[in-house]
Amino acid sequence: MILVIDVGNTNMTLGVFEGKKLRCTFRMMTKTPRTSDEYGVMITQLLKNKGIETGQLEGSIVASVVPDVMHSLMGGLIKYTDTRPISVGPGIKTGIRIVTEDPRGIGADRIVDAVAAFEKYKGPVLAVDFGTATTYDLITEKGEFSAGITAPGIRISSEALWTQAAKLPNFEIRKPKSILAQETITSMQAGLVYGQIGQTEYIIRKVKEESGIRNLKVVATGGLGRLIADETDEIDIYDSALTLDGLRIIYDKNRRNPQQ
């Protein structure tokens, strides 16, 4: 079994794979400062709650867009799981080639999503991740990461509404029955959700138009991705485990010569 960890700006998503089967997942908040011992104890306990002992782990891999947590997290993994975690970054084998102007500027999470989308669904494919930011990454038929678009995420947009406007309240992110809202909460929900659906559809159509790729497969993931994917025909597949699968795939490509 291997432990895979996706460190996002808001949450860390952790998963355990036995072969290609995802045995379990759990989440931790990213923004809470923790020592290596705290990470180690928490991860060990979470694994035990799922019936997994750290001695069963043969390895681990981490993709992070939050550099500040890496020293403590990696130290905790080494000390408490007795693995030498692979860190997704420059020089690691991925199976795709980044052909953008600044390859080193592509976040580890986007690389992982691209790898999973290409390996699981083949190219050309557009990987859309509804996370803290909403990202759209284009991978060609040859496995080239050729372009990426970044937009504010759904939750960021909702927080901007109620934190920056004094009279607007916090609200649940869900699609109201109608866009013709008649009170404050549903008007905010309508603007946020229908606005995100419209943005998603326009960006996907524009990517197809400018790339000239009409047979582009669109794969979505991310916590709120299901909400949007269910409301548009522009998204072909919703895959909740896309990022974790990408980490497993990259681990398998690097297991004989892991990058520390």
Side-chain angles (χ1 to χ4, degrees):
M1 286 187 285
I2 64 167
L3 175 65
V4 302
I5 305 177
D6 172 37
V7 182
N9 288 294
T10 305
N11 294 309
M12 293 185 195
T13 304
L14 302 89
V16 176
F17 279 94
E18 187 169 10
K20 294 183 178 181
K21 181 181 179 181
L22 183 59
R23 280 276 304 268
C24 61
T25 63
F26 39 94
R27 290 190 172 212
M28 298 166 59
M29 289 186 66
T30 301
K31 294 182 180 179
T32 303
R34 296 185 177 95
T35 66
S36 59
D37 289 319
E38 288 172 322
Y39 275 120
V41 169
M42 288 185 71
I43 290 171
T44 299
Q45 189 58 53
L46 288 166
L47 289 169
K48 283 185 177 180
N49 289 344
K50 300 291 187 179
I52 299 170
E53 298 292 332
T54 55
Q56 296 175 268
L57 298 175
E58 67 177 68
S60 58
I61 182 169
V62 179
S64 174
V65 295
V66 188
D68 290 350
V69 309
M70 287 299 284
H71 179 74
S72 295
L73 177 59
M74 299 292 271
L77 289 172
I78 293 169
K79 187 175 181 181
Y80 284 85
T81 69
D82 196 29
T83 63
R84 303 294 298 181
I86 297 171
S87 177
V88 178
I92 200 168
K93 296 176 183 177
T94 64
I96 63 171
R97 189 163 69 94
I98 301 174
V99 295
T100 58
E101 290 185 6
D102 181 20
R104 289 179 176 270
I106 304 298
D109 56 338
R110 301 177 78 153
I111 293 172
V112 170
D113 283 347
V115 168
F118 183 71
E119 291 279 344
K120 294 179 72 175
Y121 304 107
K122 308 305 178 187
V125 62
L126 186 70
V128 185
D129 193 335
F130 294 92
T132 303
T134 300
T135 57
Y136 305 76
D137 296 317
L138 177 62
I139 303 92
T140 69
E141 187 175 4
K142 296 179 180 179
E144 296 174 336
F145 186 117
S146 64
I149 302 98
T150 307
I154 305 172
R155 202 170 299 280
I156 283 180
S157 298
S158 71
E159 290 176 358
L161 277 175
W162 61 265
T163 59
Q164 300 301 315
K167 289 190 176 183
L168 294 182
N170 195 353
F171 62 99
E172 178 187 2
I173 299 174
R174 65 182 182 88
K175 185 173 78 71
K177 292 180 180 179
S178 170
I179 198 170
L180 301 176
Q182 295 184 323
E183 48 79 31
T184 301
I185 295 295
T186 53
S187 76
M188 295 167 71
Q189 291 171 332
L192 180 72
V193 177
Y194 285 104
Q196 181 69 56
I197 294 166
Q199 172 187 283
T200 299
E201 291 182 333
Y202 181 82
I203 288 177
I204 292 171
R205 288 197 295 265
K206 199 67 176 174
V207 167
K208 290 178 178 179
E209 175 191 327
E210 293 200 11
S211 68
I213 304 173
R214 295 298 176 182
N215 64 330
L216 184 64
K217 186 171 292 184
V218 181
V219 180
T221 191
L224 292 169
R226 171 70 74 181
L227 175 66
I228 306 303
D230 285 346
E231 300 298 328
T232 174
D233 293 334
E234 292 292 342
I235 293 174
D236 300 303
I237 299 164
Y238 176 75
D239 186 340
S240 62
L242 188 74
T243 306
L244 298 183
D245 267 329
L247 284 164
R248 172 188 58 80
I249 292 165
I250 293 173
Y251 178 87
D252 287 341
K253 291 180 182 293
N254 292 271
R255 63 194 311 169
R256 294 181 181 178
N257 183 29
Q259 306 291 318
Q260 304 302 330

